[in-house]
Each structure stands twice: as C-alpha cells, then as structure tokens.
Amino acid sequence: MNKTLEKLYKPNIVKWALNSWPPFWGSGIKIESISEDFREARLRLKLRWWNKNANRSQYGGSIFSLTDPVYSLMLMGILGRQYYVWDKEASINFIKPGHSDLYAEFLISQAQLDAILVATANGDKCFPEFIIHVKDKQGDVVSEVHRKLYVRKKPKYRQESDYQTDNAA
C-alpha cells in the first residue's frame, strides 16, 4: 500500500469501495460493517436468482467469495504500508445448503495481532490462519472456510527495524 492509499484506507471508504466492486455486488455480497480499528467486519451474501445453484440454494462459489479477501484487507488496515499482506491459501467445507441470505463475521483478536507482530518483527514471514463460519439467517453454520495469509514487513522496513534493534543494544 502506498502513502496515498494509506491516507484513504479508512473503514468507511473500504466498505463503500468493496460494496461498489463488481465481483462483490454481482455476487450479492455486501459489507454490512467494518469497525473503526479494522478488527471486526460483518458481511452478507444475499440469495438472488442468479446466485442459486441447480438445487436452488446458494452457489458455492459465491459462498467462497464472501470470505475473500476480507482478512487480508483488515490486516492491511491494521498493519499499514509497512507490510505485505496477501491471501496464501484457502479451503471450504460445505456443511449444509444455504437457502437464505448468508452471513460471515470476521474478527482479529489482540492475541492474533500480537502473534503476527512478534513473528514478523525481524522481517520473517508469518502465515496466520483464520476460520470463518458462514451462517444462515437462523444462525446455523452452512460452511466453514479456512484461510491462510502471508504477512511480512516490506524490505525497507525490515532494514529500519534491524537498524533500530542494533542501535538499541
């Protein structure tokens, strides 16, 4: 993320931009909320005639899309321009058909954030993992999505960090 994007990277702007992004609105995905500190988000997948499968339930690709790239974007908002944050891998377990709008909540705890910061402090890569339970409007779990991210300080910040560590000793 560059300096200009970092200035614009605020929860309300990210929410507006993603809700306007064709892959999201075309799939019926809507960001309902993002907390001011980027640690919580809630998304909805609206059941529409064009995202139903042959069995008249939510299309699996739309359910999977509901969870992409939310954790990456949240961590980008928290960590800022000093870090690379990318999705590395993901898998989905379909538990039952989704016959209604579906919801996903994304949370990043302080413990998770602390673990990422410690693991990347010296420029090392970190691969945090998150599990998202996609639920129907009754609160029943429809699918479980496992996401692994790649987080690492950008080279110029790794050098500053090493320099600061050397000078502190």
Side-chain angles (χ1 to χ4, degrees):
M1 167 179 343
N2 63 37
K3 289 180 183 181
T4 304
L5 182 57
E6 186 176 48
K7 289 178 184 175
L8 296 172
Y9 208 84
K10 307 293 180 215
N12 58 339
I13 294 173
V14 171
K15 178 181 172 184
W16 175 83
L18 287 176
N19 284 339
S20 302
W21 190 40
F24 265 26
W25 63 258
S27 295
I29 297 168
K30 182 174 183 178
I31 297 179
E32 294 187 332
S33 65
I34 302 175
S35 66
E36 284 302 312
D37 61 1
F38 282 103
R39 304 242 185 135
E40 297 179 27
R42 179 175 163 87
L43 279 71
R44 180 187 72 200
L45 173 59
K46 188 154 183 65
L47 181 61
R48 296 185 173 152
W49 67 269
W50 63 80
N51 65 358
K52 289 181 183 178
N53 61 25
N55 295 311
R56 313 279 303 146
S57 63
Q58 288 277 13
Y59 171 63
S62 295
I63 296 171
F64 201 50
S65 293
L66 175 66
T67 67
D68 180 36
V70 182
Y71 273 118
S72 292
L73 296 172
M74 291 169 70
L75 278 174
M76 287 171 65
I78 294 168
L79 299 173
R81 73 173 183 252
Q82 293 186 7
Y83 287 82
Y84 291 119
V85 182
W86 291 304
D87 277 308
K88 182 169 174 45
E89 60 185 70
S91 63
I92 189 166
N93 178 21
F94 296 105
I95 297 169
K96 68 179 242 180
H99 291 288
S100 69
D101 289 0
L102 301 180
Y103 302 88
E105 292 184 7
F106 302 80
L107 303 168
I108 298 176
S109 70
Q110 187 61 48
Q112 288 170 314
L113 184 55
D114 289 343
I116 292 167
L117 292 171
V118 167
T120 59
N122 294 322
D124 294 332
K125 300 171 191 173
C126 177
F127 304 103
E129 298 184 30
F130 300 93
I131 295 176
I132 306 109
H133 292 103
V134 178
K135 299 178 181 181
D136 61 18
K137 63 183 178 183
Q138 287 79 30
D140 295 331
V141 176
V142 170
S143 66
E144 182 178 273
V145 181
H146 179 260
R147 291 210 164 262
K148 182 186 282 190
L149 277 56
Y150 169 102
V151 180
R152 188 174 192 186
K153 276 190 177 181
K154 293 179 180 175
K156 69 180 181 178
Y157 297 106
R158 284 182 234 154
Q159 293 166 358
E160 285 178 18
S161 175
D162 294 342
Y163 176 77
Q164 290 168 355
T165 304
D166 291 343
N167 285 337

